[in-house]
Each structure stands twice: as C-alpha cells, then as structure tokens.
Amino acid sequence: MPTETIRQKTKQILNALGCDAHEISIVMTNNDQVQQLNKTYRGIDKPTNVLAFPMQEGQFADITPGLLGDVVISCETAQQEADKANISLDERMSQLLIHGILHLMGFDHEASPSDARKMEDKSLELLRKIETNKELNIF
C-alpha cells in the first residue's frame, strides 16, 4: 500500500477522534515479526493482524502527551483476511488502522461486552468516514 494512502487515512481517523495534534507511528511488517512481538508482549506465540502499543498508559504517560503510541500491522495477515472477506487490501487496512488507533485511545474490546460494543460502534462510525464502500463493516 502506498505510504500516502496510509498517512491520509491515519490523519482522517485522528481528526475524527479530536486528536489532530497527536502523533502515532505505524509499522507495516510480516507475520514473522508480528508473531515475535505478539509472543514477547502478549505471551501469544502466533501471528496476528494488528498490535497496538499505547504510550498514554502507565507511570510515564505524561512525558510525551502528544504521542499516542505505535500500531503494528502484518501485511501478510491483512492480505489473507482481505482475500477471505472478499474485500480489497485497502479496505482491510482501514479496518486494522481504526482498530489499532482505538486501542491507542484506550478502547478495549476484551475488557467487557459493554466495552466491546463501544469499540464496535466507534469503529463503524470511523469506517463510514474514511471509506466510500458503505457496505464495508468492522471485523
């Protein structure tokens, strides 16, 4: 995917969340690297589609208030999931960007059913803002 496309979508998402003055880093990688990160930081020894590393949590959260954190996406897994869902890689990347950025913002679908619903609602709202395919849903 072109870097400019990712940059534009990221800006749109951050603007919609009221974070237009904030920064994030986005790493596009392969399954091997994502698997290693997943194993190291989550104790899960398998690849995943997206990981988020928030910088606004913990005792050092105030050091860099404008830095939200890092989003790491496996392009391999994203392509496999796009193919399986019969959507474009561009659309799948939008879904994963939104998911990762919402995690940086403190959303957590694993915390409770109520939190999962909030994250789903916000994900769909953002997806409708950045994608022209109005049939595209969250994952």
Coordinates of all heavy atoms in Angstrom, one line a residue, residues 9-68:
K9 N -5.4 8.3 5.6 CA -6.4 7.6 6.4 C -6.1 7.8 7.9 O -7.0 8.0 8.7 CB -6.4 6.1 6.1 CG -7.1 5.8 4.7 CD -7.2 4.4 4.5 CE -7.8 4.1 3.1 NZ -8.4 2.8 3.0
T10 N -4.9 7.7 8.3 CA -4.5 8.0 9.7 C -4.9 9.4 10.1 O -5.5 9.6 11.2 CB -3.0 7.7 9.9 OG1 -2.7 6.4 9.5 CG2 -2.6 7.9 11.3
K11 N -4.6 10.4 9.3 CA -5.0 11.7 9.6 C -6.5 11.9 9.7 O -7.0 12.5 10.7 CB -4.5 12.7 8.5 CG -3.1 13.0 8.6 CD -2.7 14.0 7.5 CE -1.2 14.4 7.5 NZ -0.9 15.4 6.5
Q12 N -7.2 11.2 8.8 CA -8.7 11.3 8.9 C -9.2 10.7 10.2 O -10.1 11.2 10.8 CB -9.3 10.6 7.7 CG -9.2 11.3 6.4 CD -9.8 10.4 5.3 OE1 -9.2 9.4 4.9 NE2 -10.9 10.9 4.7
I13 N -8.7 9.6 10.6 CA -9.1 8.9 11.8 C -8.8 9.8 13.0 O -9.6 10.0 13.9 CB -8.4 7.5 11.9 CG1 -8.9 6.6 10.8 CG2 -8.7 6.9 13.3 CD1 -8.0 5.3 10.6
L14 N -7.5 10.2 13.1 CA -7.1 11.1 14.2 C -7.9 12.4 14.3 O -8.4 12.8 15.4 CB -5.6 11.4 14.2 CG -4.7 10.2 14.4 CD1 -3.2 10.6 14.2 CD2 -4.9 9.6 15.8
N15 N -8.2 13.0 13.2 CA -9.0 14.2 13.2 C -10.4 13.9 13.7 O -11.0 14.7 14.5 CB -9.1 14.8 11.8 CG -7.8 15.5 11.3 OD1 -7.0 15.8 12.2 ND2 -7.7 15.7 10.0
A16 N -11.0 12.8 13.2 CA -12.4 12.4 13.7 C -12.4 12.1 15.2 O -13.5 12.3 15.8 CB -12.8 11.2 12.9
L17 N -11.3 11.7 15.7 CA -11.2 11.5 17.2 C -10.8 12.7 18.0 O -10.6 12.6 19.2 CB -10.2 10.3 17.4 CG -10.7 8.9 16.9 CD1 -9.5 7.9 17.0 CD2 -11.9 8.4 17.8
G18 N -10.6 13.8 17.3 CA -10.2 15.0 18.0 C -8.7 15.0 18.4 O -8.3 15.7 19.3
C19 N -7.9 14.2 17.7 CA -6.5 14.1 18.0 C -5.6 14.6 16.9 O -4.6 14.0 16.6 CB -6.2 12.6 18.3 SG -7.0 12.0 19.7
D20 N -6.0 15.6 16.2 CA -5.3 16.1 15.1 C -3.9 16.6 15.4 O -3.0 16.7 14.5 CB -6.1 17.2 14.3 CG -6.6 18.3 15.2 OD1 -7.1 18.0 16.3 OD2 -6.5 19.4 14.8
A21 N -3.6 16.9 16.6 CA -2.3 17.4 17.0 C -1.4 16.3 17.7 O -0.4 16.5 18.1 CB -2.4 18.5 18.1
H22 N -1.9 15.0 17.6 CA -1.2 13.9 18.2 C -0.4 13.2 17.1 O -0.7 13.3 15.9 CB -2.2 13.0 18.9 CG -2.8 13.5 20.1 ND1 -3.8 14.5 20.1 CD2 -2.6 13.3 21.4 CE1 -4.1 14.8 21.3 NE2 -3.4 14.1 22.2
E23 N 0.5 12.3 17.6 CA 1.3 11.5 16.7 C 1.2 10.1 17.0 O 1.0 9.7 18.2 CB 2.8 11.9 16.9 CG 3.2 13.3 16.5 CD 4.7 13.5 16.7 OE1 5.5 12.7 16.4 OE2 5.0 14.6 17.3
I24 N 1.3 9.3 16.0 CA 1.4 7.8 16.2 C 2.5 7.3 15.2 O 2.8 8.0 14.2 CB 0.1 7.1 15.9 CG1 -0.3 7.1 14.5 CG2 -1.0 7.6 16.8 CD1 -1.5 6.2 14.2
S25 N 3.0 6.1 15.4 CA 3.8 5.5 14.4 C 3.1 4.3 13.9 O 2.4 3.6 14.7 CB 5.2 5.1 15.0 OG 5.1 4.1 15.9
I26 N 3.3 4.0 12.7 CA 2.7 2.8 12.1 C 3.8 2.0 11.4 O 4.6 2.5 10.6 CB 1.6 3.2 11.0 CG1 0.5 4.1 11.6 CG2 1.0 2.0 10.3 CD1 -0.4 4.7 10.7
V27 N 3.8 0.7 11.8 CA 4.8 -0.2 11.3 C 4.0 -1.3 10.5 O 3.1 -1.9 11.0 CB 5.6 -0.9 12.4 CG1 6.6 -1.9 11.8 CG2 6.3 0.1 13.3
M28 N 4.4 -1.4 9.2 CA 3.9 -2.4 8.3 C 5.0 -3.5 8.2 O 6.1 -3.2 7.9 CB 3.6 -1.9 6.9 CG 2.8 -0.6 6.9 SD 1.2 -0.9 7.6 CE 0.2 -0.3 6.3
T29 N 4.6 -4.7 8.6 CA 5.6 -5.8 8.7 C 5.0 -7.1 8.2 O 3.9 -7.1 7.6 CB 6.1 -5.9 10.1 OG1 7.3 -6.7 10.1 CG2 5.1 -6.3 11.1
N30 N 5.7 -8.2 8.4 CA 5.2 -9.5 8.0 C 4.8 -10.3 9.2 O 5.0 -9.9 10.4 CB 6.3 -10.2 7.2 CG 7.6 -10.4 8.0 OD1 7.6 -10.5 9.2 ND2 8.7 -10.5 7.3
N31 N 4.3 -11.5 9.0 CA 3.9 -12.4 10.0 C 4.9 -12.8 11.0 O 4.7 -12.9 12.2 CB 3.2 -13.7 9.5 CG 1.8 -13.5 9.0 OD1 1.2 -12.4 9.3 ND2 1.3 -14.4 8.3
D32 N 6.2 -13.0 10.5 CA 7.3 -13.4 11.4 C 7.5 -12.4 12.5 O 7.7 -12.7 13.7 CB 8.5 -13.7 10.7 CG 8.4 -15.0 9.8 OD1 7.6 -15.8 10.1 OD2 9.2 -15.1 8.9
Q33 N 7.6 -11.1 12.1 CA 7.9 -10.0 13.0 C 6.7 -9.8 14.0 O 6.9 -9.6 15.2 CB 8.3 -8.8 12.3 CG 9.6 -8.9 11.6 CD 10.0 -7.6 10.9 OE1 9.2 -6.9 10.3 NE2 11.3 -7.3 11.0
V34 N 5.5 -9.9 13.4 CA 4.3 -9.7 14.3 C 4.2 -10.8 15.3 O 3.9 -10.6 16.5 CB 3.0 -9.5 13.5 CG1 1.8 -9.7 14.3 CG2 3.0 -8.2 12.8
Q35 N 4.5 -12.0 14.9 CA 4.5 -13.2 15.8 C 5.5 -13.0 16.9 O 5.2 -13.2 18.1 CB 4.8 -14.5 15.1 CG 4.7 -15.7 16.0 CD 4.8 -17.0 15.2 OE1 4.6 -17.0 14.0 NE2 5.0 -18.1 15.9
Q36 N 6.7 -12.5 16.6 CA 7.7 -12.2 17.7 C 7.2 -11.2 18.6 O 7.3 -11.3 19.9 CB 9.0 -11.8 17.0 CG 10.1 -11.7 18.1 CD 10.4 -13.0 18.8 OE1 10.4 -14.1 18.2 NE2 10.5 -13.0 20.1
L37 N 6.6 -10.1 18.1 CA 6.1 -9.0 19.0 C 4.9 -9.6 19.9 O 4.8 -9.3 21.1 CB 5.6 -7.8 18.2 CG 6.7 -7.0 17.6 CD1 6.1 -6.0 16.6 CD2 7.5 -6.3 18.6
N38 N 4.1 -10.3 19.2 CA 2.9 -10.9 20.0 C 3.4 -11.8 21.1 O 2.8 -11.8 22.2 CB 2.0 -11.6 19.0 CG 0.6 -11.7 19.4 OD1 0.1 -11.0 20.2 ND2 -0.1 -12.6 18.8
K39 N 4.4 -12.6 20.8 CA 5.0 -13.5 21.8 C 5.6 -12.8 22.9 O 5.4 -13.0 24.1 CB 6.0 -14.5 21.1 CG 6.6 -15.5 22.1 CD 7.6 -16.4 21.4 CE 8.2 -17.4 22.3 NZ 9.2 -18.2 21.7
T40 N 6.4 -11.8 22.6 CA 7.2 -11.0 23.6 C 6.2 -10.2 24.5 O 6.4 -10.2 25.7 CB 8.2 -10.0 22.9 OG1 9.1 -10.8 22.1 CG2 8.9 -9.2 23.9
Y41 N 5.3 -9.5 23.9 CA 4.5 -8.6 24.7 C 3.1 -9.1 25.1 O 2.5 -8.5 26.1 CB 4.3 -7.3 23.9 CG 5.6 -6.6 23.7 CD1 6.3 -6.6 22.5 CD2 6.2 -5.9 24.8 CE1 7.5 -6.0 22.4 CE2 7.4 -5.2 24.7 CZ 8.1 -5.3 23.5 OH 9.3 -4.7 23.3
R42 N 2.6 -10.2 24.5 CA 1.3 -10.7 24.9 C 1.3 -12.1 25.3 O 0.3 -12.7 25.8 CB 0.3 -10.5 23.8 CG 0.1 -9.0 23.4 CD -1.0 -8.8 22.3 NE -2.3 -9.2 22.8 CZ -3.1 -10.0 22.1 NH1 -2.8 -10.4 20.8 NH2 -4.3 -10.3 22.6
G43 N 2.5 -12.8 25.1 CA 2.6 -14.2 25.5 C 1.9 -15.1 24.6 O 1.6 -16.3 24.9
I44 N 1.6 -14.7 23.4 CA 0.9 -15.5 22.4 C 1.8 -15.7 21.2 O 2.2 -14.8 20.5 CB -0.4 -14.8 21.9 CG1 -1.3 -14.5 23.1 CG2 -1.1 -15.6 20.9 CD1 -2.5 -13.6 22.8
D45 N 2.2 -17.0 21.0 CA 3.2 -17.4 20.0 C 2.5 -17.7 18.7 O 2.6 -18.8 18.2 CB 4.0 -18.5 20.5 CG 5.2 -18.8 19.7 OD1 5.6 -17.9 18.8 OD2 5.9 -19.8 19.9
K46 N 1.9 -16.7 18.1 CA 1.3 -16.8 16.7 C 1.2 -15.4 16.2 O 1.1 -14.4 16.9 CB 0.0 -17.6 16.7 CG -1.1 -16.9 17.5 CD -2.4 -17.7 17.4 CE -3.5 -16.9 18.0 NZ -4.8 -17.6 17.8
P47 N 1.1 -15.3 14.8 CA 1.0 -14.0 14.2 C -0.5 -13.5 14.5 O -1.4 -14.3 14.8 CB 1.2 -14.2 12.7 CG 1.1 -15.7 12.5 CD 1.3 -16.4 13.8
T48 N -0.6 -12.2 14.4 CA -1.9 -11.6 14.5 C -2.0 -10.5 13.4 O -1.0 -10.2 12.8 CB -2.2 -11.0 15.9 OG1 -3.5 -10.6 16.0 CG2 -1.2 -9.9 16.2
N49 N -3.1 -9.9 13.3 CA -3.3 -8.8 12.2 C -2.8 -7.5 12.6 O -2.2 -6.8 11.9 CB -4.7 -8.8 11.7 CG -5.7 -8.7 12.8 OD1 -5.4 -8.3 13.9 ND2 -7.0 -9.0 12.5
V50 N -3.1 -7.1 13.9 CA -2.7 -5.7 14.3 C -2.3 -5.8 15.8 O -3.0 -6.5 16.6 CB -3.8 -4.7 14.0 CG1 -5.1 -5.0 14.7 CG2 -3.3 -3.3 14.3
L51 N -1.3 -5.0 16.2 CA -0.9 -4.8 17.6 C -0.9 -3.3 17.9 O -0.5 -2.6 17.0 CB 0.4 -5.5 17.9 CG 0.5 -7.0 17.8 CD1 2.0 -7.4 17.9 CD2 -0.3 -7.6 19.0
A52 N -1.2 -2.9 19.1 CA -1.1 -1.5 19.4 C -0.3 -1.4 20.7 O -0.5 -2.2 21.7 CB -2.5 -1.0 19.6
F53 N 0.5 -0.4 20.8 CA 1.4 -0.2 21.9 C 1.1 1.3 22.4 O 1.8 2.2 21.9 CB 2.8 -0.4 21.6 CG 3.1 -1.9 21.2 CD1 3.2 -2.2 19.8 CD2 3.3 -2.8 22.1 CE1 3.4 -3.5 19.5 CE2 3.6 -4.1 21.8 CZ 3.6 -4.5 20.4
P54 N 0.2 1.5 23.3 CA -0.1 2.8 23.7 C 1.0 3.5 24.6 O 1.6 2.8 25.4 CB -1.4 2.7 24.6 CG -1.7 1.2 24.6 CD -0.7 0.5 23.9
M55 N 1.2 4.7 24.4 CA 2.2 5.5 25.1 C 1.5 6.4 26.2 O 2.2 7.0 27.0 CB 3.0 6.4 24.2 CG 3.8 5.7 23.2 SD 5.1 4.7 23.8 CE 6.2 6.0 24.3
Q56 N 0.2 6.4 26.3 CA -0.5 7.2 27.2 C -1.0 6.4 28.4 O -1.9 6.8 29.1 CB -1.7 7.9 26.5 CG -1.3 8.8 25.4 CD -0.4 9.9 25.8 OE1 -0.7 10.6 26.8 NE2 0.7 10.0 25.2
E57 N -0.3 5.3 28.7 CA -0.6 4.5 29.9 C 0.6 4.3 30.7 O 1.7 4.5 30.3 CB -1.1 3.1 29.4 CG -2.4 3.1 28.6 CD -2.8 1.7 28.1 OE1 -2.0 0.7 28.4 OE2 -3.8 1.6 27.5
G58 N 0.4 4.0 32.0 CA 1.5 3.7 32.9 C 2.1 5.0 33.5 O 1.6 6.1 33.3
Q59 N 3.1 4.8 34.3 CA 3.7 5.9 35.1 C 4.4 7.0 34.3 O 4.6 8.1 34.8 CB 4.6 5.4 36.2 CG 6.0 4.9 35.7 CD 6.8 4.4 36.8 OE1 6.7 3.2 37.1 NE2 7.7 5.2 37.3
F60 N 4.7 6.7 33.0 CA 5.4 7.7 32.2 C 4.5 8.3 31.1 O 5.0 8.9 30.2 CB 6.7 7.0 31.6 CG 7.6 6.5 32.6 CD1 7.8 5.1 32.7 CD2 8.3 7.3 33.4 CE1 8.7 4.6 33.7 CE2 9.2 6.8 34.4 CZ 9.4 5.5 34.5
A61 N 3.2 8.2 31.3 CA 2.3 8.6 30.3 C 2.4 10.2 30.0 O 2.1 10.6 28.9 CB 0.9 8.3 30.7
D62 N 2.8 10.9 31.0 CA 2.8 12.4 30.9 C 4.1 12.9 30.2 O 4.2 14.1 29.9 CB 2.7 13.0 32.3 CG 1.4 12.7 33.0 OD1 0.4 12.5 32.2 OD2 1.3 12.8 34.2
I63 N 5.0 12.1 30.0 CA 6.3 12.5 29.4 C 6.1 13.1 28.0 O 6.6 14.1 27.6 CB 7.3 11.4 29.4 CG1 7.8 11.1 30.8 CG2 8.6 11.8 28.6 CD1 8.7 9.9 31.0
T64 N 5.3 12.4 27.2 CA 5.0 12.8 25.8 C 3.5 12.8 25.6 O 3.0 11.8 24.9 CB 5.8 11.9 24.8 OG1 5.4 10.5 25.1 CG2 7.3 12.1 24.8
P65 N 2.8 13.8 26.0 CA 1.3 13.7 25.9 C 0.8 13.7 24.5 O -0.3 13.3 24.3 CB 0.9 15.0 26.7 CG 2.1 15.8 26.8 CD 3.3 14.9 26.7
G66 N 1.6 14.2 23.5 CA 1.1 14.2 22.2 C 1.4 12.9 21.4 O 0.9 12.8 20.3
L67 N 2.1 12.0 22.0 CA 2.4 10.8 21.3 C 1.5 9.6 21.8 O 1.5 9.2 23.0 CB 3.9 10.4 21.6 CG 4.4 9.1 21.0 CD1 4.3 9.2 19.4 CD2 5.8 8.8 21.4
L68 N 0.6 9.2 20.9 CA -0.4 8.2 21.3 C 0.2 6.8 21.4 O -0.1 6.0 22.2 CB -1.5 8.2 20.3 CG -2.4 9.4 20.3 CD1 -3.5 9.3 19.2 CD2 -3.1 9.6 21.6

